[in-house]
């Protein structure tokens, strides 16, 4: 077991590595590494139980570096632990290196990308929940900065950790007093932070973050009373180097070569200690093997059914065959129909209350531990977690999101409740699967397609009930589309998705009676888009295309089709072009121009042009 | 002055209106109105000082309904106050009515749209700051629900209200114990909520929210110790109607006709009281008239300059001529260069620390009070406030946002710090002005254009210094573009913006030496896009166009141009198509395909096709 003297030496080594590598890289945040070096040494080389041979050993404690700009410190830890070669540290921030400016899972020991502050504690909540589900004795440690405690998400996470009684979760806050541009709100008033954590249901312990013995003593209090524990460590930014220690103006600045030399002179040379031998290996622990069947039995539908309801049915059926499925709700489960899963699988269901940021962060944590999280709320409120969703992508997270109540078709609740920008949000994420089913059959199939997709997937569901369009066994591949109406000599093609597919079918019927053929495509896979089918069908209808969507003009299906058909088609784009108001769904679809009548008019204009 | 008996009668009237109007509308949230009716009666007809003749009287106290689903209660208040006719309440949620499902400023007494929960307190912080800047004695009241206190933004707002010592801010929390799908986290443990608010630096008073005398007594404690005050009111959802009172499962459900009849039987008929005569008018107060000059003197630039630095210079110059300009920072002002304004105008500068959601909410509040807020952070972190930006649009808010450090061109800090989805986010908002300057001159001009635009405006700035392209007096209108290179027989047109304009110019030069003409457009106004110029120039170059942007594929400039040119051009779209990593700016632009070399290749391919 590492003695205080050993840990002090290790911390010094971590400091020197952090200074050197940022100077070599010419950028980075050395001072924020120096404040946390003693904490990191105590964590990785004494308190934590972990297996440096396997980043995915379920027996190991988990670690999340919420203050992601301290990445050089984390890389130094793994080098000291023998996980990566010491020399590799000098590749920090190079395009060829896994050691990025902020942690991402390109480096396999990182389970969740950080660097957008205030997100790590939510990830930790998810991991600690996963450990509990696994019945694992392992714990989760999250290292935060004091500056990021201004982010509301930290308090959402604190709330939920206390609610779930996560005694296996420890937050270590490196209170170094200085933000990027100014001192932090509470500076070294650690009592203020402790009062906050306690009022949110946590144990809070205040320590000197540079006194090894005090840090180790604080860890002993973790988990008392069955509560999550915050260790609030008073530290100095730039600790150990006189001319940067506790000085404003040194955030995100590497030392110049001569400054580095001076710093090393102050700190002394690399102390001689083999850090690797102080790593505490965990007791072996094996997770239950989960048997996952392929494909779930579909619900038979005859009557009009809302796609959100079918989502709920699909999720329930998926949960029956796949024990790794977990569901998080933001107090809207009776609207998204996630409540069906909650009723059947209470142990795998988590009430996140109205805190969308934390909900997504928890999902990232659960996914990092091998679970398959489905998270649903109103699509409009997923914008609340846009930053977290962005970070989920950088975490290569296997997260499934469902946004219900999309578009003006929700009706009277008004614009604040209408998801009208969600396609733009998800289409901008490289690799995200974006599905938008039009009926209950395709909605259930989309749940299966999302589960099968490795990575971020989004399902867009509709509030009102819509007619059934597909036979029960129809398959819906990611990247596919369905040609629903097709005739020789069709005058134009309409590309629709979700509720507008039904408007397109009405338009088809009316035009048919007038002798005009309208090809109808259900573009249920908005990303990737079925470019080949759409281009072929549009070409067959004289290069005339109408896109119609219950979404704003920018970034949605219309943009996707415009890019796919550039130069190949005359395009009419029907969508919501102004801020809508409350009203009846039909009225709103008519008022804002996405009804069957508008499709008919657009087709006739294209034909006449 | 209203006696307790009068207020009780008014509350009963508010309850009856809320029940009736939601039943007539066939949707809405009556139970959440009933819990807050006594609080609303005490606020509007006793505690608040306000002028029912003028929604913009600067002497009046401000009110924000953070729990926006209680809109029917708010409309009932204004009907009781004589602001709108009583009969108009029956138009609730009709497409022709200002009385929407959730409050929006279509109804002029609403200053900020609500309905996405947890946002109102931030708006209140902004309003209270505005009142302080105005040297007004008026106060700001925010009515919240207990469910929404799970949103982190509430605690961001609580933090900043305490930091700014806003004794003129009062939060009233209607603790009705029931969320939408479940009881709230703390249910009727009001002590838990009080501890939270106190730990965040507030006064907290716990009261019975149905005892008029207790409510009035609580208001007397507001502002004590110079702190903001939270009144935590224990209430019952559906209060006054036996079969819905304190019952789960009644969220967002109007009574059926027979249920309404039964409810009215229990409550009794409309009490006879003229609510209007109990309104407390404020003492007259006039704001200083502000004189705003037009146009600010531009900085002369000769050397390469980062557009973010020019943004800072422009903002400072704008602040000198326009005293209504206020600036909020999220602890990155030395990176966005908002620090120039902070240095010159400390009274109009607000440190929001690392809490982007609250920052935008504060801006909405300040804008609602006639100020012109500019908010800058890394573009990547504006995604943290996507929901708040969305609500700013529904608030018709005159808010100006700047996102710095966009694209892979930031370099080594890595993907978490790269704004690569911001154009998609802002382009999806109808009416938002989206500007993306390529040099320092246009960046300053964009600050002026954003200030001149009435409504939401976004400026996208770049981290590295870029060469100066324009003469000092060049003008840049919203919706415009600049044709930078043009020759007869040009083979293709490249449409670029920001840093890629410089790549396009390099490509032009290389191609020129090979005898190939390349037209270059600086599409600095991404929304509205200069469709006319772009279409014309592209047509003149054989319908061959290349779009190049430092942004993800979905939702950005490429999509905008694709839609504008649909059917009219062959389009090559160069953009970031995968999750990038850390590296040098030039390396990254080359690796991900948006450098001059890629433009040259794309042009040649278009010409050969």
């Amino acid at each position: 077991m590492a003695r205080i003297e050993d840990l002090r030496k290790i911390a010094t080594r971590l400091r020197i590595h952090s200074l050197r590598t940022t100077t070599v890289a010419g950028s980075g945040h050395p001072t924020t590494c120096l404040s946390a070096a003693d904490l990191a040494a105590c964590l990785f080389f004494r308190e934590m139980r972990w297996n440096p041979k396997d980043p995915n050993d379920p027996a190991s404690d988990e670690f999340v570096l919420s203050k992601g700009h301290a990445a050089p410190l984390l890389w130094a830890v793994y080098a000291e632990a023998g996980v990566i070669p010491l020399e590799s540290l000098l590749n920090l921030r190079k395009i060829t290196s896994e050691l990025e400016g902020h942690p991402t899972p390109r480096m396999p020991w990182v389970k969740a990308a950080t660097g957008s502050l205030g997100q790590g504690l939510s990830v930790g909540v998810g991991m600690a929940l996963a450990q509990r589900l696994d019945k694992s004795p392992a714990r989760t440690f999250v290292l935060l900065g004091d500056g990021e405690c201004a982010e509301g998400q930290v308090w959402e996470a604190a709330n939920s950790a206390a609610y779930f009684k996560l005694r296996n979760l420890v937050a270590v806050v490196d209170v170094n007093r200085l933000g990027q541009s100014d001192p932090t709100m509470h500076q070294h008033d650690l009592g203020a932070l402790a009062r906050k954590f306690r009022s949110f249901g946590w144990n809070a312990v205040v320590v000197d973050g540079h006194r090894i013995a005090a840090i180790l003593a604080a860890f002993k209090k973790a988990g008392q009373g069955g509560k999550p524990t915050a260790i609030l460590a008073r530290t100095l930014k730039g600790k150990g180097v006189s001319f940067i220690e506790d000085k404003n103006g040194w955030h995100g600045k590497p030392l110049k070569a001569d400054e580095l030399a001076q710093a090393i002179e102050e700190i002394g040379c690399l102390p001689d200690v083999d850090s690797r031998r102080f790593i505490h290996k965990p007791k072996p622990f094996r997770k239950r093997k989960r048997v996952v069947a392929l494909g779930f039995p579909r619900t038979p539908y005859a009557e009009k059914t809302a796609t959100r309801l079918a989502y709920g049915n699909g999720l329930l059926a998926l949960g029956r065959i796949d024990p790794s499925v977990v569901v998080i709700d933001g107090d809207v489960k009776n609207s998204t129909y996630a409540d069906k899963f909650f009723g059947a699988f209470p142990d795998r269901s988590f009430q996140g209350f109205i805190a969308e940021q934390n909900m997504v962060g928890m999902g990232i944590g659960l996914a990092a531990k091998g679970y398959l999280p489905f998270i649903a709320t109103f699509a409009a409120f997923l914008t609340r977690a846009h930053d977290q969703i962005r970070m989920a992508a950088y975490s290569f997270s296997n997260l499934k999101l469902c946004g219900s109540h999309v578009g003006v078709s929700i009706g009277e609740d008004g614009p604040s409740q209408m998801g009208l920008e969600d396609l733009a949000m998800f289409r901008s994420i490289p690799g995200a699967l974006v599905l938008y089913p039009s009926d209950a059959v395709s909605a259930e199939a989309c749940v299966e397609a999302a589960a099968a997709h490795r990575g971020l997937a989004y399902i867009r569901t509709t509030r009102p009930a819509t007619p059934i369009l597909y036979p029960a066994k129809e398959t819906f591949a990611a990247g596919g589309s369905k040609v629903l109406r097709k005739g020789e000599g069709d005058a134009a093609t309409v590309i629709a998705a979700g509720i507008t597919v039904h408007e397109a079918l009405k338009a088809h019927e009316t035009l048919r009676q007038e002798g005009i053929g309208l090809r109808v495509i259900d573009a249920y896979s908005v990303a990737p888009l079925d470019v080949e089918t759409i281009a072929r069908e549009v070409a067959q209808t004289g290069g005339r295309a109408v896109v119609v969507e219950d979404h704003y003009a920018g970034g949605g299906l219309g943009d996707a089709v415009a890019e796919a058909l550039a130069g190949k088609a005359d395009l009419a784009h029907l969508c919501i072009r102004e801020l809508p108001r409350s009203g009846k769904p039909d009225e709103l679809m008519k008022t804002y121009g996405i009804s069957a009548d508008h499709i008919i008019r657009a087709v006739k204009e294209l034909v006449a042009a």
Side-chain angles (χ1 to χ4, degrees), chain A:
Chain A
M1 195 163 67
R3 296 158 306 164
I4 288 174
E5 193 46 37
D6 302 319
L7 293 169
R8 205 171 278 144
K9 282 184 186 168
I10 294 173
T12 300
R13 291 177 66 93
L14 297 176
R15 286 197 168 91
I16 294 172
H17 296 326
S18 301
L19 287 166
R20 273 201 184 131
T21 56
T22 49
T23 294
V24 169
S27 65
H29 303 76
T31 55
T32 206
C33 296
L34 267 51
S35 62
D38 299 304
L39 297 167
C42 292
L43 275 165
F44 283 90
F45 300 99
R46 170 93 175 239
E47 181 64 20
M48 282 167 57
R49 303 285 178 271
W50 64 292
N51 173 4
K53 302 259 186 261
D54 177 6
N56 296 310
D57 188 334
S60 291
D61 289 342
E62 290 289 351
F63 177 80
V64 181
L65 183 68
S66 189
K67 46 176 281 176
H69 50 303
L73 175 66
L74 187 63
W75 308 147
V77 162
Y78 287 121
E80 281 297 311
V83 165
I84 53 172
L86 263 180
E87 316 82 73
S88 72
L89 292 181
L90 297 177
N91 297 324
L92 175 69
R93 291 177 162 239
K94 285 189 188 161
I95 197 165
T96 50
S97 169
E98 288 172 346
L99 309 183
E100 299 203 61
H102 293 76
T104 74
R106 289 189 203 280
M107 157 65 174
W109 285 82
V110 173
K111 303 288 177 64
T114 53
S116 180
L117 289 169
Q119 300 199 15
L121 195 56
S122 298
V123 175
V125 170
M127 288 175 160
L129 284 172
Q131 289 165 332
R132 179 186 290 176
L133 281 173
D134 290 343
K135 304 196 193 310
S136 158
R139 296 188 291 168
T140 297
F141 294 85
V142 181
L143 181 60
L144 297 91
D146 53 334
E148 66 178 315
C149 291
E151 287 284 9
Q153 190 186 349
V154 171
W155 304 102
E156 295 180 2
N159 242 346
S160 73
Y163 178 77
F164 292 120
K165 302 189 170 60
L166 294 176
R167 61 175 299 152
N168 58 337
L169 179 66
V170 180
V172 179
V173 188
D174 173 23
V175 187
N176 67 21
R177 193 186 73 80
L178 294 171
Q180 174 181 319
S181 72
D182 271 333
T184 59
M185 186 180 288
H186 295 306
Q187 300 203 39
H188 270 147
D189 180 1
L190 282 90
L193 269 172
R195 284 191 294 278
K196 287 182 178 178
F197 273 101
R198 285 186 194 122
S199 77
F200 274 72
W202 285 52
N203 297 320
V205 188
V206 174
V207 292
D208 180 338
H210 299 308
R211 274 193 57 223
I212 304 283
I215 299 168
L216 297 179
F219 282 127
K220 294 222 180 305
K221 299 184 187 163
Q224 281 181 356
K227 292 179 182 178
T229 299
I231 292 173
L232 308 167
R234 185 186 191 283
T235 61
L236 299 176
K237 204 161 172 172
K239 168 73 179 179
V241 179
S242 62
F243 55 95
I244 55 174
E245 186 176 294
D246 201 33
K247 297 249 192 313
N248 213 350
W250 275 96
H251 182 93
K253 283 189 192 152
L255 302 191
K256 299 197 187 76
D258 56 331
E259 293 166 340
L260 176 65
Q262 192 187 331
I264 303 287
E265 194 152 307
E266 288 189 17
I267 298 178
C269 53
L270 269 187
D272 184 26
V273 59
D274 182 359
S275 310
R276 289 171 298 182
R277 66 191 193 86
F278 298 116
I279 297 170
H280 276 238
K281 306 279 162 48
K283 283 195 196 127
F285 169 79
R286 286 170 87 58
K287 274 169 76 167
R288 263 178 310 144
K289 258 268 199 294
R290 294 191 205 97
V291 184
V292 179
L294 276 179
F296 55 80
R298 298 288 166 74
T299 317
Y301 293 103
E303 301 289 305
K304 272 177 131 184
T305 307
T307 53
R308 60 183 169 125
L309 175 56
Y311 167 82
N313 291 333
L315 192 56
L316 173 62
L318 177 69
R320 289 207 180 102
I321 62 158
D322 186 346
S324 71
V325 173
V326 291
V327 174
I328 312 172
D329 174 52
D331 194 18
V332 289
K333 63 185 191 292
N334 52 344
S335 290
T336 61
Y337 289 108
D339 59 358
K340 291 174 179 291
F341 188 98
F342 269 68
F345 305 107
D347 293 350
R348 291 190 269 145
S349 301
F350 303 101
Q351 177 55 275
F353 298 99
I354 310 173
E356 295 79 8
Q357 302 186 97
N358 181 56
M359 204 160 58
V360 172
M362 278 167 63
I364 295 171
L366 281 154
K369 297 287 292 174
Y371 286 90
L372 187 61
F374 277 74
I375 299 176
T377 184
F378 286 27
F381 305 142
L382 283 176
T383 58
R384 193 69 155 252
H386 189 168
D387 194 16
Q388 291 73 19
I389 293 167
R390 189 178 74 86
M391 294 303 290
Y394 295 131
S395 301
F396 311 137
S397 190
N398 195 21
L399 199 64
K400 314 302 166 187
L401 296 156
C402 170
S404 70
H405 293 70
V406 300
V408 299
S409 60
I410 71 158
E412 291 87 346
D413 270 345
S416 64
Q417 318 294 302
M418 296 170 177
L420 283 162
E421 53 288 291
D422 53 320
L423 291 179
M425 179 165 75
F426 284 100
R427 268 192 69 241
S428 73
I429 300 172
L433 174 64
V434 181
L435 302 171
Y436 184 12
S438 57
D439 80 341
V441 173
S442 52
E444 285 205 25
C446 286
V447 171
E448 190 168 343
H453 175 78
R454 172 75 215 171
L456 207 60
Y458 174 61
I459 303 171
R460 185 176 213 238
T461 65
T462 299
R463 181 176 175 274
T466 46
I468 306 303
L469 299 178
Y470 295 102
K473 300 211 166 162
E474 184 87 14
T475 57
F476 292 80
S481 68
K482 299 286 174 183
V483 182
L484 285 177
R485 296 289 185 276
K486 180 170 182 168
E488 233 169 289
D490 281 345
T493 300
V494 57
I495 299 119
I499 198 159
T500 59
V501 170
H502 303 277
E503 297 300 310
L505 292 172
K506 284 184 224 163
H508 165 92
E509 189 54 30
T510 306
L511 286 168
R512 194 182 60 80
Q513 288 168 11
E514 298 180 25
I516 301 171
L518 177 62
R519 199 155 294 187
V520 178
I521 298 181
D522 175 1
Y524 66 84
S525 179
V526 175
L529 188 72
D530 187 355
V531 173
E532 197 186 319
T533 300
I534 293 172
R536 184 188 63 228
E537 301 295 324
V538 169
Q540 287 176 9
T541 60
R544 284 178 292 270
V546 177
V547 183
V548 53
E549 58 178 330
D550 197 355
H551 185 277
Y552 282 137
L557 182 63
D559 277 1
V561 172
E563 177 148 4
L565 295 181
K568 298 182 195 129
D570 285 332
L571 204 64
H573 184 195
L574 309 178
C575 56
I576 314 303
R577 295 193 181 271
E578 55 183 304
L579 302 170
R581 50 202 301 164
S582 295
K584 292 187 196 311
D586 283 354
E587 278 176 351
L588 292 170
M589 291 181 72
K590 285 207 172 72
T591 301
Y592 298 106
I594 58 167
S595 70
D597 287 349
H598 294 89
I599 298 171
I600 292 166
R601 202 177 311 152
V603 169
K604 288 182 176 173
E605 280 171 15
L606 280 175
V607 170

